[in-house]
Amino acid sequence: MYFTENDTVTWVSFDIDVDTLTEAVERSCLVAEDLNFPALRTEIFKEETTVLHFRTHTASPKPISPDFTTSESLLFSAYPALEKFKFAEDRYKILEDEEGTFADLAAPIRFYPKLGVNVFSISGFTANWAQEEYVESNHPFRESDVHRSERVHSVFWNAASNPDDVVVRLQLWLAAADLSTAVGLIRQPLQELDASAVELLPVSTHPGEGYHAALLYTISGDELNSKEKQVLAASQKAAHFYGLTDDRVSIEHWGAEPVSVAEYHQEEQAPMKTRKITEIYARIKYDPLEIVNKDASEKSPDNAPEDLEDSLEENITDKQREEFYEAIQDMEEFLEQVWLVVHADIRCFEPGTAENRFLALINETQPNISDKETRLILEETLEIDTERYRTQVSIHTLERDHNQVLDGAMNSLSGGIWRSYTRPWGNDAKEETIIYWNPNEPEREDSIIEIAVRATHGPPRHLRKE
């Protein structure tokens, strides 16, 4: 998250009682989007005095108005959070010390909610350490002093449960223009790597530049190998996992600590078009950066129609009853399957050109959407204006996880940026998720200007009518 001395930054931290990091990030995104805060950080909370599993910090910079005093600017920046959690303005106190001017929620312990929400604002002008902590940088290892280091992300403390664990930090670039889309793109890596912490920060104030992501996960230590071999193997394995070569992985020593470091350029990663690894680091026990110091719950039988058996006629045969139940099960399964409605606006002069360009794109994208059989329904091509046509297709998949289907769709396109229309993404089977893709530089004829993807469970509304 980039901000300057002319900004005020507000942090809101809260605890979440869920079972997985993915669930925690999704629920945290609900709060962050409601506050219109673009930065999000969630990690396992390991304090023994609480039963809560995860702690989240979300943040937002706001420019300081020349018409406001420092106190007024801090209050204005924090007001969405104060209103959200029903905190009184007079409890948000302006404090000053040798490090600068900041504001904090001042109240007795009993005033804080059970889940412990905290609100904190600081001025970039008076608190230089806060400003430098988030300066954009490609390389985190440059200074030994944590408060002088220029880096994208902040440190995750208490990263490992076991002192022999290897802590791996992945830093990625995501083709996301907003937080909901960034959460959608980072969901799969969180699940695949069983991550324990994640941080999502917009690259700049311009949404077209995407998001930075950092995630941490641990690997059990191996007493038979040296620390150097363990951290080197961990980084090489991460590189191989994402289809990258391990010739960039090297060992650096910071004091007595061996740290494996690997840096990659985005243009080297054609297969991972919307989610690209930029750095891999590994260290024993600690976050390497510290050196620089829902799903698929099975339907319960209660969801079946009540007293269905009693409503059947007494003279129905066993075979008829079995066929009836099979038909009900097939219908339930059909309504849980994911459909995509995809339309593209294409710059061209003939509808046939638009259809051919669009179908070529869909055929290229289809294998990434699902490895199961899919069915295409090509729909009407409309003339938007004299130089633009819109063509649409509905795709019936056998998948049940719309997040996974959208992840495959987003990773099929390069040279552009994704953004979410539905923020945050819907997690209920009855909700739709809509995302858009725009190219960086649409120039030539027959180029795609915009793509919209709508994910639903069961046939989309316009097909149900037919």
Side-chain angles (χ1 to χ4, degrees), residues 304-359:
E306 295 182 4
D307 301 324
L308 177 61
E309 193 166 335
D310 295 339
S311 65
L312 298 176
E313 297 182 10
E314 294 183 359
N315 60 351
I316 192 172
T317 66
D318 290 342
K319 183 177 181 181
Q320 289 173 323
R321 181 181 288 106
E322 182 179 345
E323 290 176 347
F324 180 77
Y325 281 128
E326 286 181 357
I328 291 293
Q329 291 173 355
D330 290 343
M331 179 61 69
E332 288 181 348
E333 182 175 350
F334 179 74
L335 293 177
E336 291 174 356
Q337 293 169 352
V338 177
W339 288 65
L340 294 183
V341 180
V342 185
H343 79 244
D345 290 353
I346 301 174
R347 178 179 295 157
C348 62
F349 300 96
E350 297 290 339
T353 303
E355 291 178 2
N356 292 336
R357 177 73 176 88
F358 186 51
L359 286 176

Side-chain angles (χ1 to χ4, degrees), residues 242-254:
Y242 281 99
L244 302 172
T245 61
D246 60 11
D247 56 353
R248 303 288 181 85
V249 182
S250 61
I251 295 291
E252 298 184 11
H253 285 82
W254 296 84

Side-chain angles (χ1 to χ4, degrees), residues 184-226:
L185 283 170
I186 203 65
R187 182 182 285 107
Q188 182 179 343
L190 294 182
Q191 294 172 339
E192 290 178 342
L193 299 171
D194 193 21
S196 59
V198 64
E199 186 170 41
L200 299 167
L201 304 172
V203 171
S204 71
T205 55
H206 188 276
E209 296 187 18
Y211 260 71
H212 287 307
L215 64 86
L216 256 67
Y217 66 95
T218 57
I219 299 174
S220 298
D222 182 2
E223 296 179 355
L224 300 179
N225 287 314
S226 65

Side-chain angles (χ1 to χ4, degrees), residues 17 20 48 55 57 79 112 133 159 175 227 229 239 248-249 251 311 331 373 381 384 412 433 454:
D17 184 10
T20 67
E48 295 180 358
R55 171 155 292 176
H57 305 267
Y79 195 79
Y112 290 106
E133 187 168 349
K227 290 184 178 181
K229 288 184 178 180
R248 303 288 181 85
V249 182
I251 295 291
S311 65
M331 179 61 69
E373 182 181 357
T381 298
I384 305 300
S412 300
T433 300
R454 177 159 59 96

Side-chain angles (χ1 to χ4, degrees), residues 367-391:
N368 296 319
I369 292 175
S370 174
D371 55 7
K372 302 174 184 177
E373 182 181 357
T374 57
R375 183 166 65 97
L376 296 182
I377 303 175
L378 183 62
E379 300 173 26
E380 186 179 6
T381 298
L382 302 175
E383 184 179 4
I384 305 300
D385 53 43
T386 57
E387 296 183 357
R388 185 167 51 136
Y389 282 85
R390 173 173 296 173
T391 184

